[in-house]
Amino acid sequence: MSQSYRLECGVRQGGLSSPVLFNLYINDLIVALSGTRVGCHIDGINVNNISYADDMVLLSASICGLKKLVAICESYAACHGLIYNAVKSVVMVFESRGKNSIGFPDIKLKGIALKRVYKFKYLGHQLASDLKDDDDIERERRALAVRANMIARRFARCSGQVKITLFRSHCTSFAMGCIYSKILQRPPYPI
């Protein structure tokens, strides 16, 4: 309700209000990106960005479209005092079966060509350009083994019922996500 005023610094790392304040700050960029007709169309809906806090993924079915989305981000950053880290930013091309896009042109951010990767970790999940999820399933399987072993070690003297309850509360989502993922050949989803 007050008059507008400038802030010369970002939000505090780990602060309770930081995610909400950052979302308010970045919302206009998400609106600008979503307002274009560029991106991947899923069931008639244009999807061209996935954002969680300060992690953003741009999606496009074409190189020209991706360059347009990057240009919108650069323009927004210049107007709002944001600095993108071109070293941490990467490009990944999802390839259809048997087709390899070798002659892929550079996508540049702040004049720096982004590194092309074939595997990428986003919000804890390993994505692969060949759309296989074997690495992600193996990582989840190892996490399950670590948690189950930790419960077995720390609670060795507890009753079987206590161990089962602990396993269910700490490990079931890992185990079931991996099992269903492998059966259905999809990335794991929490159950």
Side-chain angles (χ1 to χ4, degrees), residues 82-130:
L82 290 175
I83 300 171
Y84 286 108
N85 188 339
V87 175
K88 283 183 154 181
S89 301
V90 296
V91 172
M92 185 165 71
V93 177
F94 290 100
E95 299 166 351
S96 58
R97 293 181 187 186
K99 294 186 178 180
N100 193 341
S101 53
I102 295 171
F104 189 79
D106 286 341
I107 301 293
K108 294 183 178 184
L109 178 65
K110 299 185 332 186
I112 299 170
L114 299 179
K115 178 182 174 187
R116 182 173 178 190
V117 296
Y118 296 89
K119 292 182 180 180
F120 174 70
K121 193 170 185 178
Y122 184 67
L123 300 180
H125 288 282
Q126 186 78 30
L127 304 173
S129 62
D130 61 4

Side-chain angles (χ1 to χ4, degrees), residues 43 58 66 134 142:
D43 199 23
L58 300 177
L66 183 57
D134 295 342
R142 287 183 183 175

Side-chain angles (χ1 to χ4, degrees), residues 133 137 172-191:
D133 57 0
I137 291 171
T172 304
S173 65
F174 287 106
M176 297 310 289
C178 290
I179 291 167
Y180 285 124
S181 172
K182 198 62 180 168
I183 292 169
L184 301 174
Q185 291 298 303
R186 291 189 198 154
Y189 298 106
I191 296 174

Side-chain angles (χ1 to χ4, degrees), residues 10-189:
V11 295
R12 189 173 69 110
Q13 184 74 27
L16 291 176
S17 61
S18 297
V20 173
L21 293 172
F22 187 79
N23 286 342
L24 290 171
Y25 184 72
I26 206 74
N27 189 58
D28 288 342
L29 172 59
I30 294 169
V31 168
L33 290 168
S34 300
T36 66
R37 299 295 301 155
V38 175
C40 299
H41 297 273
I42 302 170
D43 199 23
I45 298 171
N46 183 33
V47 179
N48 60 17
N49 71 87
I50 300 171
S51 299
Y52 182 80
D54 63 344
D55 288 320
M56 180 177 277
V57 172
L58 300 177
L59 303 168
S60 177
S62 71
I63 295 163
C64 293
L66 183 57
K67 287 181 178 182
K68 183 175 181 180
L69 295 174
V70 169
I72 291 169
C73 290
E74 287 178 318
S75 174
Y76 186 88
C79 293
H80 292 85
L82 290 175
I83 300 171
Y84 286 108
N85 188 339
V87 175
K88 283 183 154 181
S89 301
V90 296
V91 172
M92 185 165 71
V93 177
F94 290 100
E95 299 166 351
S96 58
R97 293 181 187 186
K99 294 186 178 180
N100 193 341
S101 53
I102 295 171
F104 189 79
D106 286 341
I107 301 293
K108 294 183 178 184
L109 178 65
K110 299 185 332 186
I112 299 170
L114 299 179
K115 178 182 174 187
R116 182 173 178 190
V117 296
Y118 296 89
K119 292 182 180 180
F120 174 70
K121 193 170 185 178
Y122 184 67
L123 300 180
H125 288 282
Q126 186 78 30
L127 304 173
S129 62
D130 61 4
L131 300 175
K132 292 182 180 176
D133 57 0
D134 295 342
D135 290 343
D136 200 41
I137 291 171
E138 180 60 21
R139 186 187 54 77
E140 291 286 348
R141 189 194 64 74
R142 287 183 183 175
L144 169 64
V146 167
R147 286 187 180 222
N149 287 332
M150 183 269 308
I151 289 171
R153 272 193 324 273
R154 288 189 182 171
F155 301 97
R157 296 183 183 176
C158 293
S159 70
Q161 186 58 42
V162 168
K163 289 176 188 174
I164 290 169
T165 301
L166 288 169
F167 181 83
R168 284 183 178 150
S169 65
H170 292 287
C171 302
T172 304
S173 65
F174 287 106
M176 297 310 289
C178 290
I179 291 167
Y180 285 124
S181 172
K182 198 62 180 168
I183 292 169
L184 301 174
Q185 291 298 303
R186 291 189 198 154
Y189 298 106

